[in-house]
Amino acid sequence: MKRLTLLTACILAFGCAEADGDERIWFDMPTWSGAAAIWAGGTDNEWESKSLPIGNGSLGANVMGSISRERLTLNEKSLWTGGPSVTGDPSYYWDCNKPAASVLPDIRQAFLEGDDELAGELTRKNFGAVPEQIEGGRKIDRFGYMTTLGELLIDTGLREGSRPLDFDKAPDKVNYGGVATMKKEFRPDVKSGPGETVDAYERSLSLDSALVRVAFRQDGVSYKREYFVSYPDQVMAIRFTADRKKSLNLCLKYQENPIAAGKTVSDGNDCILYSGSLKNNGEKFALRVKALPRGGKLVSENGSITVSGASEVVFLVASATNYKMNFDPDLTDAGTYYKGEDPCVLTSGRIEAASKLGWKRLLRRHLADYQELYKRVDLQLGHSAASSLPTPYRLDKYREGHPDPGLEALYFQYGRYLLIASSRKGDMPANLQGIWCNKIKGPWNTDYHNNINIQMNYWPANLTNLDECMPPLVDYIKSLQKSGGRVARAYYDARGWTAEISSNIYGFASPGDSESMTWNLAPANGPWLATHLWERYAFTRDREYLADVYDMIAGSADFCCDFLWKHPDGYYTAAPSTSPEHGPIDAGATFVHAVVREVLSEAVEAASELGRDEERAEQWKNVLGQLAPYETGRYGQLKEWSKDIDNPEDTHRHVNHLFGLHPGSSISVSGTPELAGASKVVLEHRGDAGTGWSMGWKLNMWARLHDGNHAYTLLHNLLCNGTLDNLWDNHPPFQIDGNFGGTAGIAEMLIQSHGGSIELLPALPDSWASGNVKGLCARGGFVVDIAWKDGRLSELDVLSAAGGRCALEYAGERKEFDTVKGRKYNLKY
Ligand code: FUC
């Protein structure tokens, strides 16, 4: 079908896009029903860019929306291999640290003598973990990975649309302007005009309601499917309807993850139950599906559910594992993380309760829960002609250079949606793919990477009014305390705790066993995580919360004091250290000092806020006062390493040495203009391309430099070169951090509060001449609504959620006043 005709048809057929608002991601083409999980021998070219994700923080699903078979990929966030039970001997898991601290004096001496090679060699040999255990000639993977929960396949008995193109021959790589390589989206030419097999097809995710809908017509019958995952009721609910009575003939089957041992059985006449355990570590899990049809015949036998001649069918899906977060694990107990309730019992209770509620009440409860969070923030950047187009075409038009501020606002809100769907209280945090992975073993184990990725996931949380998404991150940090204390002692003879490059759901804090130190030597990652504990307080001013997390902040500050080396020149220095994930093993990487600077200042503030630890805080202040300072190099750049070896041609994706600019606060345009200038030189050298998250981070940094137009360039690049058709961030492959970095960056363009005042419109680009945003949060406990016209602030309301003094800055003008908790202030500039 020609583009023009198709677009016109879309606008006519889906005028409802307007009614639903701009806040939806949608497709006008079904995916191919013949696709199947790669691990089941299939081809799955469309999952990454065409599926629509839903979730409630623990249960996640992707809707494919194909015609003759619906396919849902499933995840339960705590379904992980590895951990202390992997060999039945927990010491194998807990005793993998090397006693490296004793080698530190030799490494430092080597640096002093100018023998960097020896310092590097000693570091490489000692700062990894002991190698993985070999059993029966096989390496036993103690770290593990999040694995798929399997898939639900629902055969519909309908005819597939015609498909002239062969999927297997799809070119899968294309280079967009030399910026980033991404998978080429590949559109099947399914006929979608009237009279064809499939007509008026639409698959959409509404951000307003966290609902996926699939709708189409075939042979004069309109079919509709709806999907959501409820946090309050802990089930996924699916509803199939048709506008001609008795025309639904469905057969639902569960496709099991082959690395598990288990069985799917029918449970009564309307339910199936899978119960099993991972072969690798014995983690137990269950999945239960129950059908509630209206009319027709229902049979459940041999592990499948068949409904024939029904007018409506609701499926309820529940899943659970026996994993339970454990902040004080027994290091001698292989099952220390598997003390959760029996997953069969848990899922049975959830399904029973949900069946009693029924579709309508489940939906109402889901909407009440979700919308309370989502609707707190509204962003309007302007309308665009392309807003009613299916998302892939809209993205194409944007790539062709057509402005689409609505798409940028949609991308902003999508990050908030994804965070609500992947991070709710009671579970581990959003991982590298949030909660959505279609593989047995996904990229980088679908784990928690501590050298940018998990932190980026949480940048938008408080800033965009989603404090309820923070508890999983706080719990994750808690889960690293015990093991992190062992790491601090073994490698640095330090008090407190830290965590190295990657973690899992089993409190893994050690390095990996690799000698590749640019990623494996990462002791600043624990302190970086600790800064998030303080940040949450800075936004909420919740003293009870601060008292709860204080020991973790203080422990991190202690760790920093101990792991630094007092160099004979008088400065506390990180030796050995690295800048992620390139360059030499250094005698003082800027990134590490920047993180230490942040966490020590925060610990000092936290102690004073709570009136605790006066003496201890003196030590923190003392180290802070003698910390190796920032330095500029021969190009005027902020130096990345202790030597002036930066290469202006280096376009590496990591820009961690600018940590003080963002997410930290030790570098700012007004407070440290020279350092801000030196940071700008670095950003210019690094360039405006990169992997998805890298562009997301640079967007935030340019916003902090108050250069709205350059920040906008990065946002534009992120959308053009690092975004898939379903608006997922593309590293490549799909990695969710860039979505969150993008959302936070857009917020940072509109409001900043890291420097002691609330800066309004600090980085407004020319492209957003007029607009408004409601509900963004600022440190100090303020909620800000602003509108602007022709590039000038026109309206301003500040709600004081915590009382206290409020300082505002706009266009060089400062206003300061005392506030009363709970009062809203309308101000003029
Ligand atoms: C860090 C990054 C990579 C990737 C990985 C998951 O190591 O440097 O680009 O995002 O995490």
Side-chain angles (χ1 to χ4, degrees), residues 457-471:
N457 284 3
Y458 286 87
W459 289 349
N462 283 109
L463 189 55
T464 74
N465 219 331
L466 293 175
D467 183 59
E468 287 80 351
C469 297
M470 280 297 288

Side-chain angles (χ1 to χ4, degrees), residues 480-695:
L480 296 169
Q481 295 304 299
K482 195 162 181 175
S483 50
R486 291 165 69 105
V487 173
R489 275 192 304 283
Y491 290 89
Y492 298 98
D493 194 18
R495 294 165 298 161
W497 66 278
T498 192
E500 300 271 344
I501 177 72
S502 309
S503 303
N504 57 17
I505 64 168
Y506 305 116
F508 193 87
S510 306
D513 65 6
S514 162
E515 288 193 6
S516 200
M517 290 290 119
T518 62
W519 58 270
N520 208 19
L521 176 71
N525 290 351
W528 188 351
L529 286 168
T531 65
H532 280 256
L533 299 172
W534 169 260
E535 281 280 284
R536 187 180 186 205
Y537 174 72
F539 275 97
T540 59
R541 308 302 286 183
D542 178 346
R543 218 172 268 269
E544 215 177 291
Y545 156 77
L546 183 62
D548 181 41
V549 299
Y550 174 76
D551 285 343
M552 296 193 278
I553 299 177
S556 185
D558 285 344
F559 170 73
C560 289
C561 292
D562 293 357
F563 106 99
L564 293 175
W565 171 42
K566 182 95 185 265
H567 193 282
D569 68 6
Y571 285 122
Y572 282 96
T573 314
S577 55
T578 56
S579 200
E581 296 189 21
H582 68 158
I585 293 170
D586 193 31
T590 305
F591 157 64
V592 181
H593 299 151
V595 176
V596 169
R597 191 169 280 115
E598 208 71 28
V599 88
L600 287 179
S601 341
E602 292 170 353
V604 168
E605 255 190 277
S608 120
E609 240 359 57
L610 297 173
R612 280 162 72 167
D613 284 344
E614 226 172 282
E615 240 174 76
R616 201 173 172 192
E618 278 312 308
Q619 193 199 5
W620 301 336
K621 281 187 213 163
N622 180 39
V623 172
L624 199 49
Q626 297 175 67
L627 196 58
Y630 284 117
E631 282 175 7
T632 47
R634 62 204 151 135
Y635 304 106
Q637 87 284 10
L638 192 85
K639 271 168 58 186
E640 184 161 3
W641 294 282
S642 60
K643 297 201 171 87
D644 193 0
I645 51 170
D646 302 76
N647 173 3
E649 313 268 289
D650 179 1
T651 56
H652 195 272
R653 62 191 181 284
H654 278 276
V655 274
N656 295 47
H657 52 313
L658 304 192
F659 177 91
L661 177 66
H662 182 276
S665 55
S666 55
I667 300 177
S668 68
V669 175
S670 52
T672 58
E674 300 82 24
L675 294 178
S679 304
K680 187 173 171 193
V681 174
V682 173
L683 286 176
E684 279 163 355
H685 288 173
R686 285 291 212 262
D688 299 334
T691 58
W693 65 256
S694 174
M695 290 185 275

Side-chain angles (χ1 to χ4, degrees), residues 27 30-39 41-51 64 71 73 151 163 165-173 182-188 203 438-439 724-726 728 730 733-734:
F27 296 82
T31 60
W32 176 44
S33 301
I38 298 167
W39 46 266
T43 353
D44 196 8
N45 291 355
E46 295 174 293
W47 179 86
E48 190 176 46
S49 59
K50 308 280 192 274
S51 69
M64 298 302 301
R71 177 170 160 245
T73 59
E151 303 196 346
R163 246 187 114 71
L165 294 175
D166 182 352
F167 251 64
D168 298 341
K169 297 200 182 106
D172 65 4
K173 298 268 180 190
M182 60 191 289
K183 228 180 203 155
K184 183 176 170 65
E185 14 74 35
F186 187 69
R187 291 207 183 99
R203 173 172 79 262
N438 65 339
K439 297 194 166 60
L724 297 156
D725 276 354
N726 55 4
W728 259 352
N730 197 20
F734 155 55

Side-chain angles (χ1 to χ4, degrees), residues 246-265:
K246 301 183 184 172
S247 45
L248 293 174
N249 299 296
L250 308 174
C251 179
L252 178 143
K253 287 192 198 92
Y254 174 54
Q255 178 142 40
E256 304 159 11
N257 179 334
I259 65 164
K263 212 174 159 199
T264 311
V265 294

Side-chain angles (χ1 to χ4, degrees), residues 432 443-454 501-502 518-519 580-581 652-654 656 691-694 729 731-733 735 737:
L432 282 172
W444 288 284
N445 304 316
T446 322
D447 67 15
Y448 298 104
H449 260 57
N450 299 321
N451 74 348
I452 173 64
N453 317 86
I454 186 167
I501 177 72
S502 309
T518 62
W519 58 270
E581 296 189 21
H652 195 272
R653 62 191 181 284
H654 278 276
N656 295 47
T691 58
W693 65 256
S694 174
D729 169 58
H731 180 280
Q735 197 171 285
D737 38 26

